[in-house]
Amino acid sequence: MIFLIKILFSDLDGTLLYIPPVLTRGVSEENRAAIRRLQESGVRFAIATGRSVNFLPQHYGADLVFDTVGICGASIRLNGQFIYQTDFDHDEIDALLDVFSDSAYEHRFLVVTQENDYIFEDPFGEQAMEYKLNPKQRIRDCRYVLDQSIAEYIRDPHHTHITACFCHFQQEEGVDYYKDMLKRKFFGRYQIIQTSPYSIVILKDGANKGTGIAKIAALTGIGLDEVAVVGDSENDFEMFAMIPHSYCMSHARPDIQAKAKTIVSSVAECIDLIIKENEQEQLENLNLL
């Protein structure tokens, strides 16, 4: 049986947004042109990211609206509609607040609402105010930073769903410690995914890029053998493991590259390989007729 690639899912930071040497610089003209070539060949282009589903068009252009697996699988948008979002209840958030309340590692714990608003433990503390005022003009992912604390928000009867929890540490050792501790303490309840050397995201169990991609594939009638993925970091492990046609960026760590089938230097290179492979498959199929 001949399997053509019908959809490509791309990570953002370090992948689609990679313009050497900056991991999150923008979508290069080379990548934009390659996406158009891919779509013209009949293959869909989609996103699988640790960021929100609206991040790409919000910051880099209204023309860059694609089906998206966001927040590492906690939020999924297909054909402009949300088809899936995870939800933490009050007791779960309370338990996580207790875990981080006596942390020996300096950290910033926050939760993300369904509307992609951020809520901090102390809404007027130094960390929250730095994020609100954004003096260094960093690219922010959230819609708003709310003036409620996490404890106040979860007891507000009008609050909306909490989709994910993030924790950023000042030391890499904090990431290593809490990744292991949270997995032991909440075994089978949460996914603990490292999103950077200093950050982790806490998701409901079963939410990751791989399962998010599988949901979109099932709803669009695409088999996993007809899916390709490209990424560069630890939060891509699940999609590399689930999808046979996996590509990893050449600047990624060697242990991450080892999880993927093919190494590429850009999304454009990945796309050109997919187009070429599809053409070869179609030619071989014709020869078999």
mmCIF file of all heavy atoms in Angstrom, residues 117-162:
data_model
loop_
_atom_site.group_PDB
_atom_site.id
_atom_site.type_symbol
_atom_site.label_atom_id
_atom_site.label_comp_id
_atom_site.label_asym_id
_atom_site.label_seq_id
_atom_site.Cartn_x
_atom_site.Cartn_y
_atom_site.Cartn_z
ATOM 1 N N ASP A 117 -5.108 33.408 29.300
ATOM 2 C CA ASP A 117 -4.702 34.416 30.266
ATOM 3 C C ASP A 117 -3.797 33.753 31.300
ATOM 4 O O ASP A 117 -3.991 32.587 31.653
ATOM 5 C CB ASP A 117 -5.919 35.029 30.978
ATOM 6 C CG ASP A 117 -6.808 35.808 30.022
ATOM 7 O OD1 ASP A 117 -6.275 36.358 29.031
ATOM 8 O OD2 ASP A 117 -8.023 35.866 30.260
ATOM 9 N N TYR A 118 -2.812 34.516 31.818
ATOM 10 C CA TYR A 118 -1.887 34.009 32.816
ATOM 11 C C TYR A 118 -2.305 34.506 34.198
ATOM 12 O O TYR A 118 -2.701 35.669 34.363
ATOM 13 C CB TYR A 118 -0.460 34.482 32.538
ATOM 14 C CG TYR A 118 0.252 33.753 31.414
ATOM 15 C CD1 TYR A 118 -0.399 32.805 30.624
ATOM 16 C CD2 TYR A 118 1.591 34.020 31.156
ATOM 17 C CE1 TYR A 118 0.268 32.147 29.602
ATOM 18 C CE2 TYR A 118 2.267 33.363 30.126
ATOM 19 C CZ TYR A 118 1.597 32.429 29.359
ATOM 20 O OH TYR A 118 2.265 31.781 28.351
ATOM 21 N N ILE A 119 -2.175 33.614 35.208
ATOM 22 C CA ILE A 119 -2.473 33.976 36.589
ATOM 23 C C ILE A 119 -1.309 33.526 37.454
ATOM 24 O O ILE A 119 -0.909 32.360 37.412
ATOM 25 C CB ILE A 119 -3.773 33.312 37.077
ATOM 26 C CG1 ILE A 119 -4.906 33.538 36.064
ATOM 27 C CG2 ILE A 119 -4.167 33.862 38.440
ATOM 28 C CD1 ILE A 119 -6.130 32.708 36.353
ATOM 29 N N PHE A 120 -0.769 34.459 38.258
ATOM 30 C CA PHE A 120 0.374 34.175 39.116
ATOM 31 C C PHE A 120 -0.081 33.945 40.553
ATOM 32 O O PHE A 120 -1.196 34.305 40.933
ATOM 33 C CB PHE A 120 1.368 35.335 39.074
ATOM 34 C CG PHE A 120 2.135 35.441 37.782
ATOM 35 C CD1 PHE A 120 1.567 36.012 36.655
ATOM 36 C CD2 PHE A 120 3.442 34.971 37.694
ATOM 37 C CE1 PHE A 120 2.279 36.114 35.463
ATOM 38 C CE2 PHE A 120 4.157 35.065 36.510
ATOM 39 C CZ PHE A 120 3.575 35.631 35.397
ATOM 40 N N GLU A 121 0.823 33.353 41.351
ATOM 41 C CA GLU A 121 0.530 33.186 42.773
ATOM 42 C C GLU A 121 0.282 34.539 43.429
ATOM 43 O O GLU A 121 -0.632 34.692 44.236
ATOM 44 C CB GLU A 121 1.687 32.465 43.461
ATOM 45 C CG GLU A 121 1.875 31.025 43.007
ATOM 46 C CD GLU A 121 3.131 30.420 43.586
ATOM 47 O OE1 GLU A 121 3.050 29.854 44.694
ATOM 48 O OE2 GLU A 121 4.187 30.506 42.932
ATOM 49 N N ASP A 122 1.108 35.526 43.109
ATOM 50 C CA ASP A 122 0.942 36.894 43.607
ATOM 51 C C ASP A 122 0.791 37.819 42.402
ATOM 52 O O ASP A 122 1.768 38.085 41.702
ATOM 53 C CB ASP A 122 2.157 37.303 44.445
ATOM 54 C CG ASP A 122 2.048 38.727 44.983
ATOM 55 O OD1 ASP A 122 1.062 39.418 44.652
ATOM 56 O OD2 ASP A 122 2.958 39.150 45.724
ATOM 57 N N PRO A 123 -0.440 38.291 42.115
ATOM 58 C CA PRO A 123 -0.663 39.078 40.886
ATOM 59 C C PRO A 123 0.050 40.425 40.870
ATOM 60 O O PRO A 123 0.172 41.040 39.815
ATOM 61 C CB PRO A 123 -2.179 39.256 40.868
ATOM 62 C CG PRO A 123 -2.597 39.164 42.305
ATOM 63 C CD PRO A 123 -1.662 38.157 42.918
ATOM 64 N N PHE A 124 0.525 40.887 42.030
ATOM 65 C CA PHE A 124 1.219 42.172 42.081
ATOM 66 C C PHE A 124 2.665 42.006 42.567
ATOM 67 O O PHE A 124 3.322 42.979 42.917
ATOM 68 C CB PHE A 124 0.458 43.150 42.979
ATOM 69 C CG PHE A 124 -0.951 43.406 42.495
ATOM 70 C CD1 PHE A 124 -2.023 42.814 43.142
ATOM 71 C CD2 PHE A 124 -1.185 44.180 41.374
ATOM 72 C CE1 PHE A 124 -3.318 43.018 42.689
ATOM 73 C CE2 PHE A 124 -2.475 44.388 40.908
ATOM 74 C CZ PHE A 124 -3.548 43.803 41.570
ATOM 75 N N GLY A 125 3.133 40.767 42.565
ATOM 76 C CA GLY A 125 4.505 40.499 42.937
ATOM 77 C C GLY A 125 5.462 40.881 41.818
ATOM 78 O O GLY A 125 5.060 41.224 40.703
ATOM 79 N N GLU A 126 6.754 40.807 42.126
ATOM 80 C CA GLU A 126 7.782 41.236 41.180
ATOM 81 C C GLU A 126 7.703 40.470 39.865
ATOM 82 O O GLU A 126 7.807 41.065 38.779
ATOM 83 C CB GLU A 126 9.155 41.045 41.822
ATOM 84 C CG GLU A 126 10.309 41.472 40.927
ATOM 85 C CD GLU A 126 11.658 41.270 41.589
ATOM 86 O OE1 GLU A 126 11.692 41.012 42.810
ATOM 87 O OE2 GLU A 126 12.673 41.349 40.876
ATOM 88 N N GLN A 127 7.494 39.155 39.944
ATOM 89 C CA GLN A 127 7.488 38.342 38.728
ATOM 90 C C GLN A 127 6.281 38.653 37.853
ATOM 91 O O GLN A 127 6.397 38.776 36.632
ATOM 92 C CB GLN A 127 7.528 36.870 39.105
ATOM 93 C CG GLN A 127 8.816 36.471 39.796
ATOM 94 C CD GLN A 127 8.743 35.074 40.371
ATOM 95 O OE1 GLN A 127 7.671 34.551 40.642
ATOM 96 N NE2 GLN A 127 9.895 34.447 40.552
ATOM 97 N N ALA A 128 5.114 38.780 38.475
ATOM 98 C CA ALA A 128 3.901 39.078 37.703
ATOM 99 C C ALA A 128 3.997 40.470 37.084
ATOM 100 O O ALA A 128 3.623 40.670 35.916
ATOM 101 C CB ALA A 128 2.674 38.972 38.596
ATOM 102 N N MET A 129 4.489 41.447 37.838
ATOM 103 C CA MET A 129 4.575 42.813 37.325
ATOM 104 C C MET A 129 5.587 42.906 36.191
ATOM 105 O O MET A 129 5.380 43.649 35.223
ATOM 106 C CB MET A 129 4.944 43.779 38.456
ATOM 107 C CG MET A 129 3.868 43.919 39.526
ATOM 108 S SD MET A 129 2.226 44.334 38.862
ATOM 109 C CE MET A 129 2.544 45.955 38.154
ATOM 110 N N GLU A 130 6.680 42.151 36.308
ATOM 111 C CA GLU A 130 7.651 42.148 35.215
ATOM 112 C C GLU A 130 7.012 41.619 33.931
ATOM 113 O O GLU A 130 7.246 42.131 32.839
ATOM 114 C CB GLU A 130 8.866 41.295 35.585
ATOM 115 C CG GLU A 130 9.919 41.251 34.494
ATOM 116 C CD GLU A 130 11.093 40.348 34.838
ATOM 117 O OE1 GLU A 130 11.139 39.841 35.966
ATOM 118 O OE2 GLU A 130 11.945 40.150 33.956
ATOM 119 N N TYR A 131 6.172 40.595 34.090
ATOM 120 C CA TYR A 131 5.516 40.037 32.914
ATOM 121 C C TYR A 131 4.468 41.002 32.349
ATOM 122 O O TYR A 131 4.326 41.151 31.144
ATOM 123 C CB TYR A 131 4.859 38.700 33.266
ATOM 124 C CG TYR A 131 4.848 37.729 32.115
ATOM 125 C CD1 TYR A 131 5.915 36.872 31.884
ATOM 126 C CD2 TYR A 131 3.785 37.708 31.214
ATOM 127 C CE1 TYR A 131 5.924 36.005 30.807
ATOM 128 C CE2 TYR A 131 3.785 36.845 30.137
ATOM 129 C CZ TYR A 131 4.850 36.001 29.941
ATOM 130 O OH TYR A 131 4.860 35.157 28.870
ATOM 131 N N LYS A 132 3.737 41.690 33.247
ATOM 132 C CA LYS A 132 2.728 42.648 32.796
ATOM 133 C C LYS A 132 3.369 43.825 32.068
ATOM 134 O O LYS A 132 2.929 44.220 30.987
ATOM 135 C CB LYS A 132 1.930 43.177 33.993
ATOM 136 C CG LYS A 132 0.965 42.203 34.617
ATOM 137 C CD LYS A 132 0.278 42.857 35.812
ATOM 138 C CE LYS A 132 -0.622 41.892 36.544
ATOM 139 N NZ LYS A 132 -1.263 42.513 37.731
ATOM 140 N N LEU A 133 4.393 44.408 32.686
ATOM 141 C CA LEU A 133 5.018 45.610 32.129
ATOM 142 C C LEU A 133 5.951 45.301 30.969
ATOM 143 O O LEU A 133 6.161 46.141 30.094
ATOM 144 C CB LEU A 133 5.778 46.348 33.238
ATOM 145 C CG LEU A 133 4.910 46.818 34.421
ATOM 146 C CD1 LEU A 133 5.791 47.401 35.522
ATOM 147 C CD2 LEU A 133 3.877 47.834 33.952
ATOM 148 N N ASN A 134 6.550 44.097 30.997
ATOM 149 C CA ASN A 134 7.402 43.619 29.919
ATOM 150 C C ASN A 134 8.471 44.649 29.521
ATOM 151 O O ASN A 134 8.568 45.060 28.358
ATOM 152 C CB ASN A 134 6.548 43.255 28.700
ATOM 153 C CG ASN A 134 7.296 42.404 27.692
ATOM 154 O OD1 ASN A 134 8.316 41.792 28.006
ATOM 155 N ND2 ASN A 134 6.798 42.354 26.473
ATOM 156 N N PRO A 135 9.315 45.069 30.472
ATOM 157 C CA PRO A 135 10.294 46.119 30.170
ATOM 158 C C PRO A 135 11.330 45.711 29.124
ATOM 159 O O PRO A 135 11.871 46.580 28.433
ATOM 160 C CB PRO A 135 10.961 46.375 31.531
ATOM 161 C CG PRO A 135 10.775 45.100 32.291
ATOM 162 C CD PRO A 135 9.436 44.590 31.866
ATOM 163 N N LYS A 136 11.595 44.424 28.995
ATOM 164 C CA LYS A 136 12.581 43.978 28.015
ATOM 165 C C LYS A 136 11.961 43.664 26.656
ATOM 166 O O LYS A 136 12.641 43.196 25.744
ATOM 167 C CB LYS A 136 13.311 42.736 28.549
ATOM 168 C CG LYS A 136 14.128 43.028 29.805
ATOM 169 C CD LYS A 136 14.879 41.793 30.285
ATOM 170 C CE LYS A 136 15.681 42.114 31.541
ATOM 171 N NZ LYS A 136 16.403 40.918 32.055
ATOM 172 N N GLN A 137 10.641 43.927 26.541
ATOM 173 C CA GLN A 137 9.929 43.740 25.271
ATOM 174 C C GLN A 137 10.067 42.321 24.724
ATOM 175 O O GLN A 137 10.312 42.112 23.531
ATOM 176 C CB GLN A 137 10.406 44.764 24.239
ATOM 177 C CG GLN A 137 10.121 46.210 24.620
ATOM 178 C CD GLN A 137 8.622 46.487 24.775
ATOM 179 O OE1 GLN A 137 7.844 46.294 23.852
ATOM 180 N NE2 GLN A 137 8.225 46.931 25.957
ATOM 181 N N ARG A 138 9.932 41.343 25.620
ATOM 182 C CA ARG A 138 9.960 39.951 25.181
ATOM 183 C C ARG A 138 8.658 39.612 24.452
ATOM 184 O O ARG A 138 7.628 40.260 24.643
ATOM 185 C CB ARG A 138 10.143 39.030 26.385
ATOM 186 C CG ARG A 138 11.496 39.151 27.077
ATOM 187 C CD ARG A 138 11.671 38.017 28.072
ATOM 188 N NE ARG A 138 12.991 38.016 28.669
ATOM 189 C CZ ARG A 138 13.279 38.507 29.874
ATOM 190 N NH1 ARG A 138 12.306 39.053 30.588
ATOM 191 N NH2 ARG A 138 14.503 38.458 30.348
ATOM 192 N N ILE A 139 8.719 38.565 23.631
ATOM 193 C CA ILE A 139 7.521 38.111 22.930
ATOM 194 C C ILE A 139 6.650 37.356 23.920
ATOM 195 O O ILE A 139 7.014 36.284 24.392
ATOM 196 C CB ILE A 139 7.887 37.206 21.744
ATOM 197 C CG1 ILE A 139 8.767 37.964 20.764
ATOM 198 C CG2 ILE A 139 6.633 36.700 21.037
ATOM 199 C CD1 ILE A 139 9.339 37.100 19.661
ATOM 200 N N ARG A 140 5.503 37.927 24.274
ATOM 201 C CA ARG A 140 4.628 37.300 25.255
ATOM 202 C C ARG A 140 3.596 36.412 24.562
ATOM 203 O O ARG A 140 3.071 36.751 23.518
ATOM 204 C CB ARG A 140 3.898 38.359 26.092
ATOM 205 C CG ARG A 140 4.810 39.248 26.893
ATOM 206 C CD ARG A 140 4.085 39.962 28.009
ATOM 207 N NE ARG A 140 2.734 40.389 27.629
ATOM 208 C CZ ARG A 140 1.887 40.953 28.477
ATOM 209 N NH1 ARG A 140 2.224 41.143 29.719
ATOM 210 N NH2 ARG A 140 0.692 41.333 28.068
ATOM 211 N N ASP A 141 3.306 35.301 25.214
ATOM 212 C CA ASP A 141 2.377 34.343 24.627
ATOM 213 C C ASP A 141 0.946 34.575 25.081
ATOM 214 O O ASP A 141 0.002 34.222 24.404
ATOM 215 C CB ASP A 141 2.808 32.918 25.012
ATOM 216 C CG ASP A 141 2.190 31.871 24.115
ATOM 217 O OD1 ASP A 141 1.391 32.236 23.231
ATOM 218 O OD2 ASP A 141 2.481 30.683 24.285
ATOM 219 N N CYS A 142 0.751 35.173 26.258
ATOM 220 C CA CYS A 142 -0.594 35.243 26.840
ATOM 221 C C CYS A 142 -1.402 36.408 26.295
ATOM 222 O O CYS A 142 -0.877 37.327 25.672
ATOM 223 C CB CYS A 142 -0.492 35.363 28.357
ATOM 224 S SG CYS A 142 0.201 36.928 28.921
ATOM 225 N N ARG A 143 -2.727 36.345 26.563
ATOM 226 C CA ARG A 143 -3.614 37.460 26.219
ATOM 227 C C ARG A 143 -3.501 38.552 27.278
ATOM 228 O O ARG A 143 -3.163 39.691 26.974
ATOM 229 C CB ARG A 143 -5.060 36.958 26.107
ATOM 230 C CG ARG A 143 -6.027 38.004 25.607
ATOM 231 C CD ARG A 143 -7.439 37.472 25.520
ATOM 232 N NE ARG A 143 -8.020 37.170 26.827
ATOM 233 C CZ ARG A 143 -9.313 36.977 27.041
ATOM 234 N NH1 ARG A 143 -10.164 37.050 26.025
ATOM 235 N NH2 ARG A 143 -9.772 36.695 28.251
ATOM 236 N N TYR A 144 -3.816 38.208 28.545
ATOM 237 C CA TYR A 144 -3.703 39.140 29.660
ATOM 238 C C TYR A 144 -3.018 38.446 30.833
ATOM 239 O O TYR A 144 -3.054 37.220 30.957
ATOM 240 C CB TYR A 144 -5.084 39.626 30.137
ATOM 241 C CG TYR A 144 -5.910 40.309 29.097
ATOM 242 C CD1 TYR A 144 -7.124 39.765 28.695
ATOM 243 C CD2 TYR A 144 -5.507 41.509 28.521
ATOM 244 C CE1 TYR A 144 -7.909 40.392 27.732
ATOM 245 C CE2 TYR A 144 -6.278 42.139 27.565
ATOM 246 C CZ TYR A 144 -7.489 41.578 27.174
ATOM 247 O OH TYR A 144 -8.245 42.196 26.222
ATOM 248 N N VAL A 145 -2.428 39.259 31.718
ATOM 249 C CA VAL A 145 -2.015 38.793 33.039
ATOM 250 C C VAL A 145 -3.075 39.308 34.005
ATOM 251 O O VAL A 145 -3.244 40.524 34.165
ATOM 252 C CB VAL A 145 -0.618 39.314 33.434
ATOM 253 C CG1 VAL A 145 -0.252 38.829 34.828
ATOM 254 C CG2 VAL A 145 0.424 38.861 32.423
ATOM 255 N N LEU A 146 -3.821 38.398 34.633
ATOM 256 C CA LEU A 146 -4.956 38.803 35.455
ATOM 257 C C LEU A 146 -4.512 39.360 36.803
ATOM 258 O O LEU A 146 -3.440 39.026 37.314
ATOM 259 C CB LEU A 146 -5.896 37.617 35.681
ATOM 260 C CG LEU A 146 -6.500 36.987 34.410
ATOM 261 C CD1 LEU A 146 -7.582 35.986 34.786
ATOM 262 C CD2 LEU A 146 -7.056 38.044 33.462
ATOM 263 N N ASP A 147 -5.360 40.208 37.395
ATOM 264 C CA ASP A 147 -5.060 40.826 38.680
ATOM 265 C C ASP A 147 -5.492 39.959 39.859
ATOM 266 O O ASP A 147 -5.306 40.362 41.008
ATOM 267 C CB ASP A 147 -5.741 42.191 38.784
ATOM 268 C CG ASP A 147 -5.086 43.235 37.896
ATOM 269 O OD1 ASP A 147 -3.911 43.039 37.528
ATOM 270 O OD2 ASP A 147 -5.741 44.237 37.558
ATOM 271 N N GLN A 148 -6.076 38.806 39.592
ATOM 272 C CA GLN A 148 -6.404 37.862 40.653
ATOM 273 C C GLN A 148 -5.217 36.938 40.911
ATOM 274 O O GLN A 148 -4.457 36.625 39.996
ATOM 275 C CB GLN A 148 -7.603 36.997 40.261
ATOM 276 C CG GLN A 148 -8.944 37.704 40.300
ATOM 277 C CD GLN A 148 -10.062 36.777 39.861
ATOM 278 O OE1 GLN A 148 -10.098 36.345 38.724
ATOM 279 N NE2 GLN A 148 -10.968 36.464 40.785
ATOM 280 N N SER A 149 -5.089 36.494 42.158
ATOM 281 C CA SER A 149 -4.121 35.447 42.449
ATOM 282 C C SER A 149 -4.712 34.109 42.017
ATOM 283 O O SER A 149 -5.932 33.996 41.773
ATOM 284 C CB SER A 149 -3.798 35.401 43.942
ATOM 285 O OG SER A 149 -4.932 34.927 44.666
ATOM 286 N N ILE A 150 -3.861 33.082 41.928
ATOM 287 C CA ILE A 150 -4.354 31.752 41.567
ATOM 288 C C ILE A 150 -5.402 31.293 42.575
ATOM 289 O O ILE A 150 -6.462 30.780 42.205
ATOM 290 C CB ILE A 150 -3.191 30.743 41.499
ATOM 291 C CG1 ILE A 150 -2.226 31.114 40.372
ATOM 292 C CG2 ILE A 150 -3.724 29.327 41.301
ATOM 293 C CD1 ILE A 150 -0.962 30.260 40.343
ATOM 294 N N ALA A 151 -5.113 31.482 43.884
ATOM 295 C CA ALA A 151 -6.052 31.051 44.926
ATOM 296 C C ALA A 151 -7.386 31.763 44.791
ATOM 297 O O ALA A 151 -8.456 31.153 44.971
ATOM 298 C CB ALA A 151 -5.442 31.300 46.306
ATOM 299 N N GLU A 152 -7.373 33.063 44.481
ATOM 300 C CA GLU A 152 -8.625 33.814 44.302
ATOM 301 C C GLU A 152 -9.371 33.335 43.061
ATOM 302 O O GLU A 152 -10.605 33.178 43.074
ATOM 303 C CB GLU A 152 -8.321 35.313 44.177
ATOM 304 C CG GLU A 152 -7.830 35.962 45.447
ATOM 305 C CD GLU A 152 -7.319 37.361 45.204
ATOM 306 O OE1 GLU A 152 -6.909 37.691 44.069
ATOM 307 O OE2 GLU A 152 -7.309 38.134 46.173
ATOM 308 N N TYR A 153 -8.639 33.097 42.009
ATOM 309 C CA TYR A 153 -9.258 32.736 40.735
ATOM 310 C C TYR A 153 -10.001 31.408 40.823
ATOM 311 O O TYR A 153 -11.129 31.291 40.350
ATOM 312 C CB TYR A 153 -8.190 32.659 39.646
ATOM 313 C CG TYR A 153 -8.747 32.355 38.265
ATOM 314 C CD1 TYR A 153 -9.305 33.365 37.489
ATOM 315 C CD2 TYR A 153 -8.717 31.068 37.753
ATOM 316 C CE1 TYR A 153 -9.813 33.088 36.223
ATOM 317 C CE2 TYR A 153 -9.226 30.778 36.502
ATOM 318 C CZ TYR A 153 -9.779 31.801 35.740
ATOM 319 O OH TYR A 153 -10.283 31.519 34.499
ATOM 320 N N ILE A 154 -9.398 30.407 41.440
ATOM 321 C CA ILE A 154 -10.025 29.079 41.447
ATOM 322 C C ILE A 154 -11.253 29.045 42.361
ATOM 323 O O ILE A 154 -12.063 28.108 42.271
ATOM 324 C CB ILE A 154 -9.034 27.972 41.845
ATOM 325 C CG1 ILE A 154 -8.500 28.172 43.260
ATOM 326 C CG2 ILE A 154 -7.906 27.888 40.823
ATOM 327 C CD1 ILE A 154 -7.579 27.061 43.737
ATOM 328 N N ARG A 155 -11.417 30.053 43.218
ATOM 329 C CA ARG A 155 -12.599 30.121 44.068
ATOM 330 C C ARG A 155 -13.653 31.082 43.545
ATOM 331 O O ARG A 155 -14.700 31.276 44.153
ATOM 332 C CB ARG A 155 -12.190 30.494 45.500
ATOM 333 C CG ARG A 155 -11.544 29.319 46.213
ATOM 334 C CD ARG A 155 -10.745 29.705 47.436
ATOM 335 N NE ARG A 155 -10.186 28.499 48.066
ATOM 336 C CZ ARG A 155 -9.117 27.853 47.623
ATOM 337 N NH1 ARG A 155 -8.468 28.313 46.551
ATOM 338 N NH2 ARG A 155 -8.678 26.758 48.213
ATOM 339 N N ASP A 156 -13.384 31.675 42.406
ATOM 340 C CA ASP A 156 -14.338 32.571 41.747
ATOM 341 C C ASP A 156 -15.316 31.717 40.945
ATOM 342 O O ASP A 156 -14.911 30.993 40.030
ATOM 343 C CB ASP A 156 -13.576 33.520 40.822
ATOM 344 C CG ASP A 156 -14.478 34.529 40.126
ATOM 345 O OD1 ASP A 156 -15.704 34.311 40.098
ATOM 346 O OD2 ASP A 156 -13.952 35.515 39.592
ATOM 347 N N PRO A 157 -16.619 31.759 41.245
ATOM 348 C CA PRO A 157 -17.584 30.892 40.534
ATOM 349 C C PRO A 157 -17.696 31.209 39.049
ATOM 350 O O PRO A 157 -18.242 30.415 38.281
ATOM 351 C CB PRO A 157 -18.903 31.169 41.263
ATOM 352 C CG PRO A 157 -18.729 32.514 41.901
ATOM 353 C CD PRO A 157 -17.282 32.603 42.262
ATOM 354 N N HIS A 158 -17.182 32.361 38.638
ATOM 355 C CA HIS A 158 -17.286 32.757 37.226
ATOM 356 C C HIS A 158 -16.014 32.459 36.441
ATOM 357 O O HIS A 158 -15.915 32.822 35.273
ATOM 358 C CB HIS A 158 -17.605 34.250 37.122
ATOM 359 C CG HIS A 158 -18.845 34.656 37.855
ATOM 360 N ND1 HIS A 158 -20.106 34.232 37.487
ATOM 361 C CD2 HIS A 158 -18.999 35.425 38.966
ATOM 362 C CE1 HIS A 158 -21.001 34.732 38.314
ATOM 363 N NE2 HIS A 158 -20.358 35.460 39.225
ATOM 364 N N HIS A 159 -15.053 31.808 37.075
ATOM 365 C CA HIS A 159 -13.795 31.581 36.369
ATOM 366 C C HIS A 159 -13.973 30.553 35.252
ATOM 367 O O HIS A 159 -14.874 29.721 35.290
ATOM 368 C CB HIS A 159 -12.697 31.138 37.347
ATOM 369 C CG HIS A 159 -12.623 29.659 37.569
ATOM 370 N ND1 HIS A 159 -13.339 29.005 38.537
ATOM 371 C CD2 HIS A 159 -11.903 28.701 36.930
ATOM 372 C CE1 HIS A 159 -13.075 27.718 38.503
ATOM 373 N NE2 HIS A 159 -12.209 27.492 37.539
ATOM 374 N N THR A 160 -13.115 30.646 34.257
ATOM 375 C CA THR A 160 -13.129 29.672 33.162
ATOM 376 C C THR A 160 -12.080 28.595 33.443
ATOM 377 O O THR A 160 -11.386 28.635 34.442
ATOM 378 C CB THR A 160 -12.827 30.351 31.814
ATOM 379 O OG1 THR A 160 -11.565 31.027 31.903
ATOM 380 C CG2 THR A 160 -13.907 31.361 31.466
ATOM 381 N N HIS A 161 -11.980 27.637 32.564
ATOM 382 C CA HIS A 161 -11.141 26.476 32.786
ATOM 383 C C HIS A 161 -9.655 26.831 32.847
ATOM 384 O O HIS A 161 -9.191 27.741 32.160
ATOM 385 C CB HIS A 161 -11.357 25.453 31.671
ATOM 386 C CG HIS A 161 -12.773 24.980 31.576
ATOM 387 N ND1 HIS A 161 -13.369 24.219 32.544
ATOM 388 C CD2 HIS A 161 -13.714 25.170 30.626
ATOM 389 C CE1 HIS A 161 -14.615 23.951 32.196
ATOM 390 N NE2 HIS A 161 -14.847 24.528 31.040
ATOM 391 N N ILE A 162 -8.928 26.089 33.664
ATOM 392 C CA ILE A 162 -7.468 26.171 33.692
ATOM 393 C C ILE A 162 -6.937 25.024 32.851
ATOM 394 O O ILE A 162 -7.202 23.853 33.119
ATOM 395 C CB ILE A 162 -6.931 26.096 35.129
ATOM 396 C CG1 ILE A 162 -7.312 27.381 35.885
ATOM 397 C CG2 ILE A 162 -5.416 25.917 35.122
ATOM 398 C CD1 ILE A 162 -6.960 27.360 37.349
#
